[in-house]
Amino acid sequence: MIYFSYAELGAADAPEQIRRNVARLCSGLLDPVREAIGRPILINSGYRSPEHNRRVGGSPTSDHLRGLAADIRIAGLTGPGIKKLILPAITRLGLTFDQLIVYPRFVHLSYRPEEGNREMILVG
């Protein structure tokens, strides 16, 4: 984890398996993308406990529950603008992802290295 901390990804006090997943999310996707685009990536939401996930109306099968997803933003960009910036970086670097969901103000990125990433691009 180069550009991100467990705390900003909500995993400072998380179980060890969650912290390992968060580290994989960072090393496999978030850190390389941040390096490639040369701009800070801000985390809206990373790991969510089941209680937190329920409070925010998250899916009961959300990858946030396992530390395998982050909702991100980049200052000055909308969700579609973030997609236009990061998708070419992901492609250029040959990275894989499970879901990239574009919302009006942020992008959801998930990473499932052990289960096989589907590389789904959706508009929420």
Side-chain angles (χ1 to χ4, degrees):
M1 295 176 53
I2 299 168
Y3 295 103
F4 304 95
S5 69
Y6 289 115
E8 72 185 305
L9 282 154
D13 298 320
E16 188 56 36
Q17 181 59 48
I18 298 297
R19 290 170 60 91
R20 279 194 297 272
N21 286 345
V22 166
R24 277 184 264 193
L25 171 67
C26 289
S27 64
L29 192 58
L30 296 179
D31 282 335
V33 168
R34 164 61 178 90
E35 184 75 26
I37 65 173
R39 294 178 69 172
I41 292 174
L42 308 169
I43 306 296
N44 285 353
S45 179
Y47 166 68
R48 296 180 192 153
S49 68
E51 298 80 27
H52 181 194
N53 194 59
R54 278 192 294 278
R55 276 196 313 273
V56 300
S59 166
T61 60
S62 173
D63 284 331
H64 287 279
L65 293 165
R66 297 185 297 150
L68 294 172
D71 296 338
I72 65 168
R73 60 192 162 83
I74 297 172
L77 295 178
T78 63
I82 297 167
K83 176 190 166 203
K84 287 179 185 176
L85 184 64
I86 66 170
L87 193 54
I90 289 170
T91 302
R92 186 174 61 251
L93 295 170
L95 301 175
T96 184
F97 60 92
D98 189 58
Q99 290 184 325
L100 187 158
I101 305 175
V102 181
Y103 292 98
R105 299 187 193 278
F106 66 92
V107 166
H108 166 93
L109 281 175
S110 61
Y111 183 69
R112 295 180 175 183
E114 294 176 0
E115 299 167 38
N117 287 305
R118 299 172 290 178
E119 299 193 1
M120 298 172 60
I121 301 173
L122 307 164
V123 176

PDB file of all heavy atoms in Angstrom, residues 25-59:
ATOM      1  N   LEU A  25      -6.452  -4.982  -2.804  1.00  0.00           N
ATOM      2  CA  LEU A  25      -7.164  -3.971  -3.587  1.00  0.00           C
ATOM      3  C   LEU A  25      -6.232  -2.826  -3.940  1.00  0.00           C
ATOM      4  O   LEU A  25      -6.198  -2.350  -5.076  1.00  0.00           O
ATOM      5  CB  LEU A  25      -8.379  -3.464  -2.796  1.00  0.00           C
ATOM      6  CG  LEU A  25      -9.135  -2.259  -3.349  1.00  0.00           C
ATOM      7  CD1 LEU A  25      -9.836  -2.608  -4.655  1.00  0.00           C
ATOM      8  CD2 LEU A  25     -10.144  -1.763  -2.315  1.00  0.00           C
ATOM      9  N   CYS A  26      -5.444  -2.390  -2.977  1.00  0.00           N
ATOM     10  CA  CYS A  26      -4.509  -1.286  -3.202  1.00  0.00           C
ATOM     11  C   CYS A  26      -3.383  -1.688  -4.147  1.00  0.00           C
ATOM     12  O   CYS A  26      -3.116  -0.993  -5.131  1.00  0.00           O
ATOM     13  CB  CYS A  26      -3.941  -0.779  -1.884  1.00  0.00           C
ATOM     14  SG  CYS A  26      -5.151   0.116  -0.899  1.00  0.00           S
ATOM     15  N   SER A  27      -2.727  -2.790  -3.860  1.00  0.00           N
ATOM     16  CA  SER A  27      -1.570  -3.156  -4.681  1.00  0.00           C
ATOM     17  C   SER A  27      -1.962  -3.598  -6.077  1.00  0.00           C
ATOM     18  O   SER A  27      -1.229  -3.358  -7.031  1.00  0.00           O
ATOM     19  CB  SER A  27      -0.746  -4.250  -3.995  1.00  0.00           C
ATOM     20  OG  SER A  27      -1.495  -5.436  -3.884  1.00  0.00           O
ATOM     21  N   GLY A  28      -3.142  -4.204  -6.222  1.00  0.00           N
ATOM     22  CA  GLY A  28      -3.548  -4.702  -7.528  1.00  0.00           C
ATOM     23  C   GLY A  28      -4.287  -3.715  -8.391  1.00  0.00           C
ATOM     24  O   GLY A  28      -4.370  -3.891  -9.606  1.00  0.00           O
ATOM     25  N   LEU A  29      -4.830  -2.650  -7.777  1.00  0.00           N
ATOM     26  CA  LEU A  29      -5.656  -1.724  -8.554  1.00  0.00           C
ATOM     27  C   LEU A  29      -5.450  -0.259  -8.178  1.00  0.00           C
ATOM     28  O   LEU A  29      -5.042   0.537  -9.021  1.00  0.00           O
ATOM     29  CB  LEU A  29      -7.132  -2.123  -8.388  1.00  0.00           C
ATOM     30  CG  LEU A  29      -8.147  -1.490  -9.317  1.00  0.00           C
ATOM     31  CD1 LEU A  29      -7.816  -1.772 -10.782  1.00  0.00           C
ATOM     32  CD2 LEU A  29      -9.550  -2.013  -9.002  1.00  0.00           C
ATOM     33  N   LEU A  30      -5.708   0.092  -6.931  1.00  0.00           N
ATOM     34  CA  LEU A  30      -5.714   1.514  -6.571  1.00  0.00           C
ATOM     35  C   LEU A  30      -4.339   2.171  -6.674  1.00  0.00           C
ATOM     36  O   LEU A  30      -4.227   3.268  -7.237  1.00  0.00           O
ATOM     37  CB  LEU A  30      -6.279   1.700  -5.158  1.00  0.00           C
ATOM     38  CG  LEU A  30      -7.740   1.308  -4.954  1.00  0.00           C
ATOM     39  CD1 LEU A  30      -8.141   1.532  -3.499  1.00  0.00           C
ATOM     40  CD2 LEU A  30      -8.658   2.063  -5.890  1.00  0.00           C
ATOM     41  N   ASP A  31      -3.300   1.551  -6.133  1.00  0.00           N
ATOM     42  CA  ASP A  31      -1.967   2.158  -6.203  1.00  0.00           C
ATOM     43  C   ASP A  31      -1.467   2.306  -7.642  1.00  0.00           C
ATOM     44  O   ASP A  31      -0.994   3.385  -8.015  1.00  0.00           O
ATOM     45  CB  ASP A  31      -0.954   1.374  -5.370  1.00  0.00           C
ATOM     46  CG  ASP A  31      -1.058   1.665  -3.879  1.00  0.00           C
ATOM     47  OD1 ASP A  31      -1.536   2.747  -3.496  1.00  0.00           O
ATOM     48  OD2 ASP A  31      -0.637   0.798  -3.096  1.00  0.00           O
ATOM     49  N   PRO A  32      -1.570   1.266  -8.489  1.00  0.00           N
ATOM     50  CA  PRO A  32      -1.089   1.439  -9.870  1.00  0.00           C
ATOM     51  C   PRO A  32      -1.880   2.501 -10.645  1.00  0.00           C
ATOM     52  O   PRO A  32      -1.304   3.254 -11.431  1.00  0.00           O
ATOM     53  CB  PRO A  32      -1.270   0.066 -10.510  1.00  0.00           C
ATOM     54  CG  PRO A  32      -1.431  -0.901  -9.408  1.00  0.00           C
ATOM     55  CD  PRO A  32      -1.937  -0.128  -8.225  1.00  0.00           C
ATOM     56  N   VAL A  33      -3.189   2.569 -10.406  1.00  0.00           N
ATOM     57  CA  VAL A  33      -3.994   3.586 -11.090  1.00  0.00           C
ATOM     58  C   VAL A  33      -3.589   4.973 -10.616  1.00  0.00           C
ATOM     59  O   VAL A  33      -3.406   5.891 -11.424  1.00  0.00           O
ATOM     60  CB  VAL A  33      -5.505   3.335 -10.885  1.00  0.00           C
ATOM     61  CG1 VAL A  33      -6.320   4.531 -11.323  1.00  0.00           C
ATOM     62  CG2 VAL A  33      -5.941   2.090 -11.644  1.00  0.00           C
ATOM     63  N   ARG A  34      -3.422   5.133  -9.314  1.00  0.00           N
ATOM     64  CA  ARG A  34      -2.998   6.434  -8.769  1.00  0.00           C
ATOM     65  C   ARG A  34      -1.659   6.858  -9.370  1.00  0.00           C
ATOM     66  O   ARG A  34      -1.476   8.008  -9.760  1.00  0.00           O
ATOM     67  CB  ARG A  34      -2.916   6.343  -7.243  1.00  0.00           C
ATOM     68  CG  ARG A  34      -2.145   7.440  -6.537  1.00  0.00           C
ATOM     69  CD  ARG A  34      -2.740   8.819  -6.767  1.00  0.00           C
ATOM     70  NE  ARG A  34      -2.018   9.835  -6.059  1.00  0.00           N
ATOM     71  CZ  ARG A  34      -0.979  10.519  -6.542  1.00  0.00           C
ATOM     72  NH1 ARG A  34      -0.506  10.281  -7.736  1.00  0.00           N
ATOM     73  NH2 ARG A  34      -0.409  11.467  -5.820  1.00  0.00           N
ATOM     74  N   GLU A  35      -0.734   5.932  -9.452  1.00  0.00           N
ATOM     75  CA  GLU A  35       0.585   6.211 -10.038  1.00  0.00           C
ATOM     76  C   GLU A  35       0.452   6.618 -11.504  1.00  0.00           C
ATOM     77  O   GLU A  35       1.077   7.577 -11.960  1.00  0.00           O
ATOM     78  CB  GLU A  35       1.477   4.973  -9.913  1.00  0.00           C
ATOM     79  CG  GLU A  35       2.882   5.169 -10.404  1.00  0.00           C
ATOM     80  CD  GLU A  35       3.733   5.980  -9.448  1.00  0.00           C
ATOM     81  OE1 GLU A  35       3.461   5.994  -8.234  1.00  0.00           O
ATOM     82  OE2 GLU A  35       4.680   6.615  -9.947  1.00  0.00           O
ATOM     83  N   ALA A  36      -0.379   5.909 -12.242  1.00  0.00           N
ATOM     84  CA  ALA A  36      -0.516   6.153 -13.682  1.00  0.00           C
ATOM     85  C   ALA A  36      -1.187   7.486 -13.994  1.00  0.00           C
ATOM     86  O   ALA A  36      -0.801   8.156 -14.952  1.00  0.00           O
ATOM     87  CB  ALA A  36      -1.292   5.011 -14.332  1.00  0.00           C
ATOM     88  N   ILE A  37      -2.184   7.860 -13.209  1.00  0.00           N
ATOM     89  CA  ILE A  37      -2.896   9.104 -13.536  1.00  0.00           C
ATOM     90  C   ILE A  37      -2.213  10.328 -12.941  1.00  0.00           C
ATOM     91  O   ILE A  37      -2.474  11.442 -13.378  1.00  0.00           O
ATOM     92  CB  ILE A  37      -4.381   9.055 -13.122  1.00  0.00           C
ATOM     93  CG1 ILE A  37      -4.543   8.957 -11.603  1.00  0.00           C
ATOM     94  CG2 ILE A  37      -5.099   7.927 -13.841  1.00  0.00           C
ATOM     95  CD1 ILE A  37      -5.980   9.064 -11.117  1.00  0.00           C
ATOM     96  N   GLY A  38      -1.369  10.132 -11.947  1.00  0.00           N
ATOM     97  CA  GLY A  38      -0.633  11.252 -11.380  1.00  0.00           C
ATOM     98  C   GLY A  38      -1.484  12.247 -10.616  1.00  0.00           C
ATOM     99  O   GLY A  38      -1.091  13.398 -10.461  1.00  0.00           O
ATOM    100  N   ARG A  39      -2.633  11.817 -10.148  1.00  0.00           N
ATOM    101  CA  ARG A  39      -3.523  12.686  -9.374  1.00  0.00           C
ATOM    102  C   ARG A  39      -4.010  11.933  -8.146  1.00  0.00           C
ATOM    103  O   ARG A  39      -4.206  10.716  -8.201  1.00  0.00           O
ATOM    104  CB  ARG A  39      -4.736  13.095 -10.214  1.00  0.00           C
ATOM    105  CG  ARG A  39      -4.358  13.974 -11.386  1.00  0.00           C
ATOM    106  CD  ARG A  39      -5.545  14.327 -12.224  1.00  0.00           C
ATOM    107  NE  ARG A  39      -6.454  15.224 -11.510  1.00  0.00           N
ATOM    108  CZ  ARG A  39      -7.499  15.796 -12.097  1.00  0.00           C
ATOM    109  NH1 ARG A  39      -7.760  15.571 -13.373  1.00  0.00           N
ATOM    110  NH2 ARG A  39      -8.292  16.592 -11.417  1.00  0.00           N
ATOM    111  N   PRO A  40      -4.228  12.625  -7.051  1.00  0.00           N
ATOM    112  CA  PRO A  40      -4.726  11.950  -5.850  1.00  0.00           C
ATOM    113  C   PRO A  40      -6.100  11.323  -6.074  1.00  0.00           C
ATOM    114  O   PRO A  40      -6.960  11.894  -6.740  1.00  0.00           O
ATOM    115  CB  PRO A  40      -4.818  13.070  -4.817  1.00  0.00           C
ATOM    116  CG  PRO A  40      -3.888  14.122  -5.305  1.00  0.00           C
ATOM    117  CD  PRO A  40      -3.937  14.038  -6.803  1.00  0.00           C
ATOM    118  N   ILE A  41      -6.268  10.142  -5.541  1.00  0.00           N
ATOM    119  CA  ILE A  41      -7.555   9.460  -5.515  1.00  0.00           C
ATOM    120  C   ILE A  41      -8.059   9.555  -4.086  1.00  0.00           C
ATOM    121  O   ILE A  41      -7.357   9.192  -3.146  1.00  0.00           O
ATOM    122  CB  ILE A  41      -7.405   7.987  -5.948  1.00  0.00           C
ATOM    123  CG1 ILE A  41      -7.034   7.903  -7.434  1.00  0.00           C
ATOM    124  CG2 ILE A  41      -8.677   7.211  -5.651  1.00  0.00           C
ATOM    125  CD1 ILE A  41      -6.730   6.499  -7.916  1.00  0.00           C
ATOM    126  N   LEU A  42      -9.266  10.052  -3.924  1.00  0.00           N
ATOM    127  CA  LEU A  42      -9.871  10.225  -2.610  1.00  0.00           C
ATOM    128  C   LEU A  42     -10.872   9.102  -2.382  1.00  0.00           C
ATOM    129  O   LEU A  42     -11.643   8.747  -3.273  1.00  0.00           O
ATOM    130  CB  LEU A  42     -10.561  11.581  -2.527  1.00  0.00           C
ATOM    131  CG  LEU A  42      -9.672  12.774  -2.941  1.00  0.00           C
ATOM    132  CD1 LEU A  42     -10.486  14.031  -3.095  1.00  0.00           C
ATOM    133  CD2 LEU A  42      -8.556  12.955  -1.937  1.00  0.00           C
ATOM    134  N   ILE A  43     -10.862   8.543  -1.199  1.00  0.00           N
ATOM    135  CA  ILE A  43     -11.723   7.413  -0.868  1.00  0.00           C
ATOM    136  C   ILE A  43     -13.001   7.910  -0.192  1.00  0.00           C
ATOM    137  O   ILE A  43     -12.950   8.544   0.853  1.00  0.00           O
ATOM    138  CB  ILE A  43     -11.004   6.427   0.081  1.00  0.00           C
ATOM    139  CG1 ILE A  43      -9.654   5.985  -0.493  1.00  0.00           C
ATOM    140  CG2 ILE A  43     -11.907   5.240   0.411  1.00  0.00           C
ATOM    141  CD1 ILE A  43      -9.721   5.199  -1.771  1.00  0.00           C
ATOM    142  N   ASN A  44     -14.146   7.627  -0.806  1.00  0.00           N
ATOM    143  CA  ASN A  44     -15.437   7.903  -0.174  1.00  0.00           C
ATOM    144  C   ASN A  44     -15.798   6.779   0.795  1.00  0.00           C
ATOM    145  O   ASN A  44     -16.335   7.018   1.862  1.00  0.00           O
ATOM    146  CB  ASN A  44     -16.557   7.994  -1.207  1.00  0.00           C
ATOM    147  CG  ASN A  44     -16.545   9.274  -1.987  1.00  0.00           C
ATOM    148  OD1 ASN A  44     -15.782  10.185  -1.708  1.00  0.00           O
ATOM    149  ND2 ASN A  44     -17.382   9.334  -3.000  1.00  0.00           N
ATOM    150  N   SER A  45     -15.538   5.550   0.370  1.00  0.00           N
ATOM    151  CA  SER A  45     -15.908   4.389   1.161  1.00  0.00           C
ATOM    152  C   SER A  45     -15.019   3.223   0.763  1.00  0.00           C
ATOM    153  O   SER A  45     -14.800   2.993  -0.426  1.00  0.00           O
ATOM    154  CB  SER A  45     -17.381   4.040   0.902  1.00  0.00           C
ATOM    155  OG  SER A  45     -17.770   2.902   1.633  1.00  0.00           O
ATOM    156  N   GLY A  46     -14.514   2.510   1.750  1.00  0.00           N
ATOM    157  CA  GLY A  46     -13.732   1.309   1.501  1.00  0.00           C
ATOM    158  C   GLY A  46     -14.420   0.147   2.195  1.00  0.00           C
ATOM    159  O   GLY A  46     -15.584  -0.129   1.924  1.00  0.00           O
ATOM    160  N   TYR A  47     -13.716  -0.487   3.136  1.00  0.00           N
ATOM    161  CA  TYR A  47     -14.322  -1.572   3.906  1.00  0.00           C
ATOM    162  C   TYR A  47     -15.495  -1.041   4.706  1.00  0.00           C
ATOM    163  O   TYR A  47     -15.447   0.051   5.279  1.00  0.00           O
ATOM    164  CB  TYR A  47     -13.293  -2.207   4.849  1.00  0.00           C
ATOM    165  CG  TYR A  47     -13.932  -3.080   5.899  1.00  0.00           C
ATOM    166  CD1 TYR A  47     -14.543  -4.268   5.525  1.00  0.00           C
ATOM    167  CD2 TYR A  47     -13.959  -2.701   7.228  1.00  0.00           C
ATOM    168  CE1 TYR A  47     -15.177  -5.064   6.479  1.00  0.00           C
ATOM    169  CE2 TYR A  47     -14.573  -3.491   8.185  1.00  0.00           C
ATOM    170  CZ  TYR A  47     -15.182  -4.663   7.801  1.00  0.00           C
ATOM    171  OH  TYR A  47     -15.805  -5.441   8.736  1.00  0.00           O
ATOM    172  N   ARG A  48     -16.576  -1.837   4.731  1.00  0.00           N
ATOM    173  CA  ARG A  48     -17.741  -1.518   5.561  1.00  0.00           C
ATOM    174  C   ARG A  48     -18.070  -2.727   6.434  1.00  0.00           C
ATOM    175  O   ARG A  48     -18.162  -3.844   5.931  1.00  0.00           O
ATOM    176  CB  ARG A  48     -18.964  -1.228   4.698  1.00  0.00           C
ATOM    177  CG  ARG A  48     -18.861  -0.041   3.810  1.00  0.00           C
ATOM    178  CD  ARG A  48     -20.152   0.100   3.020  1.00  0.00           C
ATOM    179  NE  ARG A  48     -20.021   1.059   1.949  1.00  0.00           N
ATOM    180  CZ  ARG A  48     -20.740   1.027   0.840  1.00  0.00           C
ATOM    181  NH1 ARG A  48     -21.652   0.078   0.663  1.00  0.00           N
ATOM    182  NH2 ARG A  48     -20.558   1.937  -0.089  1.00  0.00           N
ATOM    183  N   SER A  49     -18.266  -2.479   7.703  1.00  0.00           N
ATOM    184  CA  SER A  49     -18.780  -3.543   8.568  1.00  0.00           C
ATOM    185  C   SER A  49     -20.212  -3.846   8.127  1.00  0.00           C
ATOM    186  O   SER A  49     -20.857  -3.013   7.469  1.00  0.00           O
ATOM    187  CB  SER A  49     -18.775  -3.085  10.029  1.00  0.00           C
ATOM    188  OG  SER A  49     -19.741  -2.065  10.206  1.00  0.00           O
ATOM    189  N   PRO A  50     -20.742  -5.004   8.481  1.00  0.00           N
ATOM    190  CA  PRO A  50     -22.135  -5.297   8.115  1.00  0.00           C
ATOM    191  C   PRO A  50     -23.121  -4.230   8.615  1.00  0.00           C
ATOM    192  O   PRO A  50     -24.045  -3.858   7.887  1.00  0.00           O
ATOM    193  CB  PRO A  50     -22.398  -6.655   8.782  1.00  0.00           C
ATOM    194  CG  PRO A  50     -21.047  -7.301   8.827  1.00  0.00           C
ATOM    195  CD  PRO A  50     -20.082  -6.161   9.103  1.00  0.00           C
ATOM    196  N   GLU A  51     -22.887  -3.711   9.814  1.00  0.00           N
ATOM    197  CA  GLU A  51     -23.776  -2.674  10.363  1.00  0.00           C
ATOM    198  C   GLU A  51     -23.695  -1.392   9.531  1.00  0.00           C
ATOM    199  O   GLU A  51     -24.717  -0.797   9.206  1.00  0.00           O
ATOM    200  CB  GLU A  51     -23.414  -2.362  11.822  1.00  0.00           C
ATOM    201  CG  GLU A  51     -23.555  -3.528  12.761  1.00  0.00           C
ATOM    202  CD  GLU A  51     -22.361  -4.501  12.689  1.00  0.00           C
ATOM    203  OE1 GLU A  51     -21.239  -4.088  12.344  1.00  0.00           O
ATOM    204  OE2 GLU A  51     -22.580  -5.688  12.960  1.00  0.00           O
ATOM    205  N   HIS A  52     -22.478  -0.979   9.222  1.00  0.00           N
ATOM    206  CA  HIS A  52     -22.295   0.230   8.422  1.00  0.00           C
ATOM    207  C   HIS A  52     -22.911   0.038   7.038  1.00  0.00           C
ATOM    208  O   HIS A  52     -23.579   0.934   6.513  1.00  0.00           O
ATOM    209  CB  HIS A  52     -20.808   0.571   8.320  1.00  0.00           C
ATOM    210  CG  HIS A  52     -20.527   1.810   7.548  1.00  0.00           C
ATOM    211  ND1 HIS A  52     -19.280   2.129   7.099  1.00  0.00           N
ATOM    212  CD2 HIS A  52     -21.313   2.823   7.103  1.00  0.00           C
ATOM    213  CE1 HIS A  52     -19.317   3.264   6.429  1.00  0.00           C
ATOM    214  NE2 HIS A  52     -20.544   3.698   6.419  1.00  0.00           N
ATOM    215  N   ASN A  53     -22.695  -1.112   6.448  1.00  0.00           N
ATOM    216  CA  ASN A  53     -23.241  -1.382   5.122  1.00  0.00           C
ATOM    217  C   ASN A  53     -24.769  -1.290   5.126  1.00  0.00           C
ATOM    218  O   ASN A  53     -25.360  -0.713   4.206  1.00  0.00           O
ATOM    219  CB  ASN A  53     -22.788  -2.765   4.640  1.00  0.00           C
ATOM    220  CG  ASN A  53     -23.025  -2.954   3.170  1.00  0.00           C
ATOM    221  OD1 ASN A  53     -22.512  -2.212   2.340  1.00  0.00           O
ATOM    222  ND2 ASN A  53     -23.799  -3.973   2.836  1.00  0.00           N
ATOM    223  N   ARG A  54     -25.406  -1.825   6.160  1.00  0.00           N
ATOM    224  CA  ARG A  54     -26.867  -1.724   6.272  1.00  0.00           C
ATOM    225  C   ARG A  54     -27.299  -0.271   6.414  1.00  0.00           C
ATOM    226  O   ARG A  54     -28.267   0.168   5.781  1.00  0.00           O
ATOM    227  CB  ARG A  54     -27.380  -2.540   7.464  1.00  0.00           C
ATOM    228  CG  ARG A  54     -27.553  -4.010   7.170  1.00  0.00           C
ATOM    229  CD  ARG A  54     -28.329  -4.726   8.273  1.00  0.00           C
ATOM    230  NE  ARG A  54     -27.612  -4.761   9.544  1.00  0.00           N
ATOM    231  CZ  ARG A  54     -26.672  -5.636   9.844  1.00  0.00           C
ATOM    232  NH1 ARG A  54     -26.315  -6.550   8.983  1.00  0.00           N
ATOM    233  NH2 ARG A  54     -26.074  -5.602  11.017  1.00  0.00           N
ATOM    234  N   ARG A  55     -26.577   0.497   7.253  1.00  0.00           N
ATOM    235  CA  ARG A  55     -26.933   1.908   7.477  1.00  0.00           C
ATOM    236  C   ARG A  55     -26.894   2.721   6.194  1.00  0.00           C
ATOM    237  O   ARG A  55     -27.703   3.623   6.005  1.00  0.00           O
ATOM    238  CB  ARG A  55     -25.996   2.550   8.506  1.00  0.00           C
ATOM    239  CG  ARG A  55     -26.386   2.321   9.935  1.00  0.00           C
ATOM    240  CD  ARG A  55     -25.678   3.279  10.890  1.00  0.00           C
ATOM    241  NE  ARG A  55     -24.257   3.422  10.677  1.00  0.00           N
ATOM    242  CZ  ARG A  55     -23.302   2.647  11.195  1.00  0.00           C
ATOM    243  NH1 ARG A  55     -23.633   1.653  11.983  1.00  0.00           N
ATOM    244  NH2 ARG A  55     -22.041   2.873  10.954  1.00  0.00           N
ATOM    245  N   VAL A  56     -25.931   2.422   5.324  1.00  0.00           N
ATOM    246  CA  VAL A  56     -25.801   3.213   4.090  1.00  0.00           C
ATOM    247  C   VAL A  56     -26.586   2.612   2.923  1.00  0.00           C
ATOM    248  O   VAL A  56     -26.527   3.122   1.814  1.00  0.00           O
ATOM    249  CB  VAL A  56     -24.324   3.432   3.692  1.00  0.00           C
ATOM    250  CG1 VAL A  56     -23.581   4.178   4.779  1.00  0.00           C
ATOM    251  CG2 VAL A  56     -23.632   2.130   3.333  1.00  0.00           C
ATOM    252  N   GLY A  57     -27.334   1.544   3.189  1.00  0.00           N
ATOM    253  CA  GLY A  57     -28.152   0.939   2.140  1.00  0.00           C
ATOM    254  C   GLY A  57     -27.363   0.128   1.132  1.00  0.00           C
ATOM    255  O   GLY A  57     -27.794  -0.048  -0.007  1.00  0.00           O
ATOM    256  N   GLY A  58     -26.198  -0.378   1.543  1.00  0.00           N
ATOM    257  CA  GLY A  58     -25.374  -1.185   0.654  1.00  0.00           C
ATOM    258  C   GLY A  58     -25.968  -2.563   0.408  1.00  0.00           C
ATOM    259  O   GLY A  58     -26.742  -3.071   1.209  1.00  0.00           O
ATOM    260  N   SER A  59     -25.588  -3.146  -0.688  1.00  0.00           N
ATOM    261  CA  SER A  59     -26.033  -4.493  -1.029  1.00  0.00           C
ATOM    262  C   SER A  59     -25.534  -5.487   0.017  1.00  0.00           C
ATOM    263  O   SER A  59     -24.394  -5.383   0.471  1.00  0.00           O
ATOM    264  CB  SER A  59     -25.479  -4.875  -2.404  1.00  0.00           C
ATOM    265  OG  SER A  59     -25.608  -6.262  -2.615  1.00  0.00           O
TER     266      SER A  59
END
